[in-house]
Amino acid sequence: MSFIFLYSFNYYMELGLENMGRGDFFHFPVLSHEVISGLAIISGGHYLDVTVGGGGHSRLILEAAKDVRVTALDQDEEALDAAKKHLAEFKDRVEFVHTSFSAYNFINESFDGIIADLGVSSYHLDTPERGFSFRHTAGLDMRMDRQQALKAEDIINFWDEEKLADIFLCYGEERLSRRIARQIVQKRPFYTTTELANAISSWVPSKYRHGRIHPATRVFQGLRIAVNNELQSIEKLLEKAPHSLIPNACIAIISFHSLEDRLVKHGFRNAPLLKVLTKKPIVAQPNEIIQNPRSRSAKLRIAQRKEK
């Protein structure tokens, strides 16, 4: 039986990567201990990392067994360049492909395991010019693939009120979606992250303004998902990826909000080729959350390709 391999946060502490500065394309993995206890990489296996990022998952896969190969995908060229640098020592054992997993040509029964770590990375949030976060002033961009034309600025300034409200409600789960969309249309244009976030904060009731999260958080999530067509991409992954697993191989997907997790849950359950191995999602334990706050919202689900 062959599986996906996830890595340990402590491993990267030993490498000293906790000191990497803002702008370095790297993130610490989550839920590694919970997954590693039941997973193994086979010698000579071929694995697909559909969200290579800085190369962390792929590195540990390559080091887990002899002669392992990895095909590493990412739609962000900066991520792919960082992965090439971090994985250079493995030479031709890694094939890098600049593409989104929704556009990738999955070949039947090609991989001994597939891993996907969904959502926005710490790098994207911490790099102001990418426009994902309102913690810094930057243009409203939010593109994972910077070659695509559509930006968050285009959605905010040109899409109609009803469509904006639907994005904020369906993708951001924002209960004040109609009010916020109406105000945006009346007050636009908006060109920067902080300009939009501050405006949203001024439009909501004071009780809402001083809640647990910033009142613009859900709007920004909805915008990011719309810009990158994230949910539709996950649906395509769930449809195509199972065919690309060899029998008994596994696919593991880590999600970070309920919309993603719901798609993964139902996608695994409804896939005729898959057997669900995690009836409930695996979540981080308190000690991991202390070490890596990003793990707080992570949910891991694993499914196995059935034998013929």
Side-chain angles (χ1 to χ4, degrees), residues 252-289:
I253 300 182
I254 303 170
S255 61
F256 287 88
H257 59 74
S258 59
L259 298 176
E260 292 175 341
D261 181 59
R262 196 175 302 130
L263 283 177
V264 176
K265 175 184 177 180
H266 292 293
F268 281 179
R269 180 185 296 170
N270 297 329
L273 294 178
L274 296 180
K275 173 185 177 183
V276 177
L277 300 183
T278 50
K279 293 183 179 180
K280 293 184 178 180
I282 300 170
V283 298
Q285 297 300 306
N287 61 334
E288 181 179 2
I289 293 172

Side-chain angles (χ1 to χ4, degrees), residues 70-85:
V70 168
T71 296
L73 318 181
D74 211 290
Q75 62 182 324
D76 190 318
E77 284 188 296
E78 292 179 15
L80 213 58
D81 288 342
K84 290 177 181 178
K85 176 182 176 181

Side-chain angles (χ1 to χ4, degrees), residues 8-214:
S8 166
F9 179 87
N10 290 330
Y11 176 90
Y12 288 96
M13 295 298 96
E14 293 170 6
L15 293 181
L17 294 177
E18 76 277 16
N19 294 319
M20 294 183 75
R22 193 177 73 188
D24 292 306
F25 209 117
F26 206 89
H27 76 273
F28 296 115
V30 299
L31 300 168
S32 56
H33 295 296
E34 289 82 355
V35 178
I36 288 171
S37 63
L39 305 183
I41 300 297
I42 61 170
S43 295
H46 186 190
Y47 296 84
L48 177 66
D49 185 346
V50 302
T51 51
V52 70
H57 289 113
S58 290
R59 166 172 286 277
L60 268 274
I61 291 171
L62 290 160
E63 293 179 340
K66 185 179 179 181
D67 297 327
V68 170
R69 293 179 297 127
V70 168
T71 296
L73 318 181
D74 211 290
Q75 62 182 324
D76 190 318
E77 284 188 296
E78 292 179 15
L80 213 58
D81 288 342
K84 290 177 181 178
K85 176 182 176 181
H86 293 143
L87 302 175
E89 66 194 86
F90 299 102
K91 299 180 181 178
D92 58 0
R93 290 171 58 194
V94 189
E95 178 187 6
F96 297 97
V97 184
H98 178 218
T99 186
S100 66
F101 52 71
S102 63
Y104 181 67
N105 181 28
F106 286 87
I107 300 173
N108 287 349
E109 299 188 16
S110 301
F111 298 107
D112 296 281
I114 299 174
I115 184 169
D117 186 352
L118 304 175
V120 66
S121 71
S122 298
Y123 168 84
H124 289 123
L125 294 173
D126 293 339
T127 305
E129 60 267 26
R130 299 300 296 266
F132 284 91
S133 171
F134 48 78
R135 290 179 294 169
H136 315 281
T137 298
L140 286 164
D141 192 325
M142 300 192 188
R143 292 171 299 168
M144 298 284 191
D145 181 355
R146 300 180 87 172
Q147 292 186 5
Q148 79 171 41
L150 182 67
K151 301 179 182 180
E153 176 185 308
D154 302 317
I155 293 175
I156 286 295
N157 292 322
F158 296 106
W159 288 19
D160 64 41
E161 180 180 328
E162 182 177 0
K163 199 166 184 180
L164 288 176
D166 288 344
I167 287 171
F168 303 154
L169 178 63
C170 298
Y171 295 164
E173 299 179 296
E174 172 55 65
R175 65 183 182 87
L176 298 180
S177 60
R178 301 294 170 190
R179 175 190 296 201
I180 293 171
R182 183 169 59 252
Q183 289 292 332
I184 286 174
V185 170
Q186 291 177 359
K187 305 291 173 57
R188 63 191 183 187
F190 295 93
Y191 296 111
T192 70
T193 54
T194 50
E195 181 186 15
L196 178 61
N198 291 337
I200 292 170
S201 185
S202 72
W203 298 332
V204 301
S206 58
K207 181 179 179 180
Y208 199 77
R209 191 179 306 130
H210 301 294
R212 184 177 58 86
I213 63 173
H214 191 284

